[in-house]
Amino acid sequence: MQSSSMKLTLEVERGKNGINDSTFPDLTLGVKREENGFTASGSPDHLGDSIWKPIDLTSSEEDSGSNDDAQKQLVIYDPAVNGSGEIEAAFDPYEYRPRNTFPFNSSRVLPAVGAFTVQCANCFKWRLVPTKEKYEEIREHISEQPFSCETAREWRPEISCEDPTDICQDDGRLWAIDKPNIAQPPPGWERLLRIRGEGSTKFADVYYVAPSGKRLRSMVEIQRYLLQHPEYMEAGVTTSQFSFQTPKPLQENYVRKRAPARLTTPCDGGSNMVGRLPGFLQPSDVDPLAWAGPDENRDERRVGPSVPTHLIEASPEEPIQHRPAKKKKKEFCDI
DNA sequence: GCCACCGGTGGC
DNA sequence: GCCACCGGTGGC
């Protein structure tokens, strides 16, 4: 990972429908994994050092094409998945909430961001960022102000490049690369990232929640809302403070590809597209890093109650899904 | 009735 | 192929 010095990571957890929103804010972090599941370890300082290993996402960057910003990437993964694992919480920098651990009875559980991680530009190790707000702050200026372990001393005074990485992309979580340089939302506003279930036509949706509680889902709506509420504009809020860009999943098949309009033979397969499970795709094609899907791991991860298989490993229960495919994941930690 | 989520597509 | 946008609707 060379250039990519900085990448940002997001951990995804699953939440349930209504709940997601609330969960969002919490995203905090630290997850550790335990034997099979996750656990938290607790060390106050760094999360499990041992537990998490370094991740290398570099390659994944595909797209940003222009920027090689590969740098700033976020990875999302779903801890919950694993099950049971539990995530524990330790407060300090990393506090976790075991929310996902408990069984949601709800029928729908969707993945949600569980943690944010940024890669040190010097040692390339991943550092968990304690809050969504801090993460957004770092992300906003990641190009001009590369993140380093030294920066992390703001919330972890003892941290240095000598410490092991905080997280490793291994277990079957869902990882995604975030876009760099996204402005922080205006004061009083919140930017929500909702991860869709596997097999959807899109990976995620971004919403902005205005101070009034109104949710806005596109720049058109933002613009309209600001015009209707001049007070925000008078306060300096502009559309440049909003961005609906979403992270990209490393799992290549997570998002269902749009079917070609003309696929022939419908039958043949029936398989045509839609029906196909993503899983079938070849991981190989994808980037190296891509994490792998859940394969085997999945079992472990799933914990108790639910988890059905689905693709994402993460999701524990998901009634929802379309069929998931399974993909395999692999782990890659490099550092 | 509301709204979170999903699907679809026009435009690039 | 990707993404911004928004319509539809299941579930509450």
Side-chain angles (χ1 to χ4, degrees), chain A residues 1-2 4 7 53-60 73 119 124 126 167-169 250 288-290 332-335:
Chain A
M1 34 202 90
Q2 42 297 52
S4 20
K7 302 176 179 179
K53 298 155 166 193
I55 306 174
D56 182 352
L57 309 178
T58 347
S59 34
S60 36
Q73 304 180 335
Q119 188 175 44
F124 306 123
W126 293 89
I167 190 170
C168 176
Q169 181 172 356
L250 290 184
L289 342 160
F332 24 114
C333 289
D334 17 347
I335 298 182

Side-chain angles (χ1 to χ4, degrees), chain A residues 218-265:
Chain A
S218 68
M219 290 301 290
V220 172
E221 292 185 3
I222 293 287
Q223 182 79 57
R224 183 184 307 141
Y225 187 83
L226 293 178
L227 289 173
Q228 295 173 338
H229 300 271
E231 63 272 24
Y232 293 117
M233 298 183 82
E234 292 167 6
V237 175
T238 70
T239 54
S240 64
Q241 294 173 286
F242 301 86
S243 171
F244 288 87
Q245 290 192 293
T246 56
K248 295 195 154 230
L250 290 184
Q251 182 183 323
E252 170 190 8
N253 319 323
Y254 191 85
V255 175
R256 182 185 6 131
K257 308 268 195 217
R258 187 176 175 177
R262 50 285 225 15
L263 274 190
T264 53
T265 55

Side-chain angles (χ1 to χ4, degrees), chain A residues 5 13 64 69 111 113 133 201 203 219 246-247 249 267 298 331 333:
Chain A
S5 25
E13 312 183 332
S64 323
D69 307 335
V113 177
E133 291 70 26
T201 53
F203 176 62
M219 290 301 290
T246 56
C267 18
R298 358 171 169 186
E331 325 194 346
C333 289

Side-chain angles (χ1 to χ4, degrees), chain A residues 38-291:
Chain A
F38 279 100
T39 30
S41 60
S43 28
D45 299 327
H46 41 319
L47 302 189
D49 12 290
S50 38
I51 307 178
W52 294 95
K53 298 155 166 193
I55 306 174
D56 182 352
L57 309 178
T58 347
S59 34
S60 36
E61 186 48 36
E62 61 270 33
D63 105 33
S64 323
S66 37
N67 308 332
D68 25 344
D69 307 335
Q71 355 185 5
K72 321 118 177 231
Q73 304 180 335
L74 301 173
V75 181
I76 302 177
Y77 64 97
D78 188 355
V81 185
N82 31 332
S84 46
E86 0 187 333
I87 309 183
E88 204 170 281
F91 200 84
D92 241 52
Y94 308 94
E95 188 167 297
Y96 268 121
R97 284 179 169 203
R99 15 173 190 292
N100 26 350
T101 17
F102 43 82
F104 288 110
N105 23 8
S106 105
S107 46
R108 264 173 160 193
V109 177
L110 296 175
V113 177
F116 296 105
T117 307
V118 184
Q119 188 175 44
C120 173
N122 301 319
C123 68
F124 306 123
K125 289 173 183 169
W126 293 89
R127 298 303 176 204
L128 289 166
V129 179
T131 64
K132 176 182 174 183
E133 291 70 26
K134 175 56 62 179
Y135 175 82
E136 290 178 331
E137 181 183 322
I138 292 168
R139 181 178 58 188
E140 181 174 22
H141 303 293
I142 192 116
S143 293
E144 318 90 81
Q145 299 173 27
F147 176 85
S148 69
C149 290
E150 188 173 344
T151 308
R153 288 182 192 155
E154 182 181 328
W155 61 88
R156 290 172 68 184
E158 312 295 313
I159 193 72
S160 78
C161 290
E162 303 303 308
D163 293 306
T165 186
D166 290 348
I167 190 170
C168 176
Q169 181 172 356
D170 50 357
D171 30 47
R173 287 75 170 338
L174 173 61
W175 294 80
I177 306 217
D178 203 3
K179 299 289 172 59
N181 310 322
I182 291 176
Q184 293 179 67
W189 291 68
E190 183 179 15
R191 185 176 190 270
L192 295 179
L193 175 66
R194 305 309 297 281
I195 308 299
R196 293 190 176 191
E198 183 168 4
S200 184
T201 53
K202 292 174 53 180
F203 176 62
D205 294 293
V206 171
Y207 298 94
Y208 277 90
V209 183
S212 63
K214 174 73 175 174
R215 279 195 177 206
L216 304 170
R217 56 184 186 159
S218 68
M219 290 301 290
V220 172
E221 292 185 3
I222 293 287
Q223 182 79 57
R224 183 184 307 141
Y225 187 83
L226 293 178
L227 289 173
Q228 295 173 338
H229 300 271
E231 63 272 24
Y232 293 117
M233 298 183 82
E234 292 167 6
V237 175
T238 70
T239 54
S240 64
Q241 294 173 286
F242 301 86
S243 171
F244 288 87
Q245 290 192 293
T246 56
K248 295 195 154 230
L250 290 184
Q251 182 183 323
E252 170 190 8
N253 319 323
Y254 191 85
V255 175
R256 182 185 6 131
K257 308 268 195 217
R258 187 176 175 177
R262 50 285 225 15
L263 274 190
T264 53
T265 55
C267 18
D268 33 334
S271 52
N272 326 288
M273 38 168 347
V274 178
R276 270 166 160 307
L277 310 191
F280 294 150
L281 299 183
Q282 309 280 333
S284 50
D285 310 344
V286 185
D287 40 278
L289 342 160
W291 78 333

